[in-house]
Amino acid sequence: MIYPKQTTTRSLFDLNGIWDFSRELDAGDYTQGFKAEKQVAVPSSYNDLYTEEVFRTWDKGVWYTRSFTMPRLLREERIVLRFASASYRAAVYLNGVRLGDHETGYTPFEFDITDCVSFDQENRLCVRLDNLLSAETIPMGNLQNQPEPGQFAGQYPDTPFDFFPYGGIQRPVSIYTTSKVAWLESVVVETLVNGADAEVKLAGTLGGTAAKVVIECEETGTRTEAEIAGDRFSGAFAVSDARLWDVKQPELYHARIQILDASGALLDEYTQRFGIRTVEVTKNRVLLNGKPVYLQGFGRHEDFPVIGKGLNHSVNIRDHEILHWIHANSYRTTHYPYSEELIQLADEQGLLIIGETPAVSINFDYVNQNTLKNHKQVLAELIERDRNNPSVIMWSVANEATTDREVAVSYFKELSELARSMDATRPITMVTCKAEKDLVMDFFDVVSVNLYPGWYHLPGQVAEAKEDLRDTLEKMHNAFQKPILITEFGADTIAGLHSLPAEQWSEEYQTELVMGLIEVMRDLDYVVGEHLWNFADFRTAQNFARVGGNKKGVFTRERQPKMLAHFLKKMWATPRYTS
Ligand code: GCB
């Protein structure tokens, strides 16, 4: 699947805006339209739009519907309906015909609707979603409903993670067209740097019957004819004096892919953007284009008042502005793939991304074969979606699984093998909370770890927290002998709460603790980065420890700085490594 774009041969229009919405309140037929309970915005989470509690936490069936008209001038085209995501489980109906399903909430899916779309009358689109998490979904949820009661009960809604389980059509819905004769289905760009030059290889799949595929690099003017074998094509070209993509100068190239018929007529044209850069991991460094880069930044959430996890370009722009203001160079897409548009912004603005699957808090007390099957699917869908984005420098296969259990070993072996078989150009990681007791780190290039000394243990004791951090990191390094990235650390902080001497929840405490812990990290040569938890305060499930959400943000939920932000900005202005 490729990102939908209007091109010289493709039309694109979006179906975003106001749709009709209803909970599935009875066993009636909703597939051809229904009486709306509410109106709903697309893209947006539905949970925080209304004033009634029942909508906020509703995770059972909901229905979305709208109509649209197709312009007759597109009658001869192939028509595709695309959802950039829908949470969690979607079944899509067009004019009463079931088009298909998709499971997991953060990756795109599409349907060829050429045969069931009407050009003579209005089309009715109905989508059923539910957000029912279980031991088999990624992420897991509702574990207390399983035979053994889960240790995570006590949070409402019942999730084993703390961010609010938002649902709905949270990213754009669009229709695009292609020629019916032949079209580009997918493309993978791989770049190889040789000294000052680079080799660029493109390979992908075609739909229909193409006679010829031509690849033209817009920057170099190189035109290459690709080889076609069945529905696959491949081609390569060289770039001399390649301008490498990096944080300061995120140079981008464009490969125009043209699909032609036997007479040379253009059937499909699509431009794929890419960057030329290398990422490697050594004993104690992450190298970008052969030079060490220390990762300074955050774990984050797609989360904002009212819209929940809905795509909002203004919030995306603001977030990247703040990241640049504070001199962050990177973030992890905790705990799921973020919108395609945000990753594209990172490509353009030179931010380094660790792309994470939605596998947060996998608990091996409950895992079964379907959990693994779904986990593999989300990992593959993430890699497929973001592999051409140069900003993505690493894949994170999961966050905080119970990886101190023997059963985790074969599970993560399979996942790491899948990631490596799909993409040999990026390092892979897994984020542990089991410190030196983790059993799966052999499969990964970078050891990522979440540690909360001074918060969940040793509360209020900064000096002891620093010693504890040093001790844990030394043990981990002895055990794994790999570079360590601290992917989470921090303290909940109420903006405006002050305390001298510092104590928990105050701005002083967050500043003292975080700056103290960073001092320890920077004293250890094998630590390759510091990602604070969290970029901004965010909404959580209800739980006595969360006062109006998780308050570990360095910025408030409205994206205003807490005191710590100013200290980080000063420190991050000078990179840890000079070479
Ligand atoms: C973690 C999780 C993150 C939580 C955080 C916290 O370890 O990875 O999702 O929000 O702790 O604040 O408890």
Side-chain angles (χ1 to χ4, degrees), residues 161-163 301 332 335 360 399-400 450 452 456 488 492 533 538 546 550 552:
F161 47 84
D162 73 343
F163 57 94
H301 270 299
R332 175 168 60 115
H335 295 306
V360 46
N399 178 76
E400 295 197 352
N450 299 342
Y452 284 97
Y456 290 122
E488 289 183 27
D492 280 271
W533 192 255
F538 60 91
R546 300 286 183 248
N550 187 310
K552 293 193 186 71

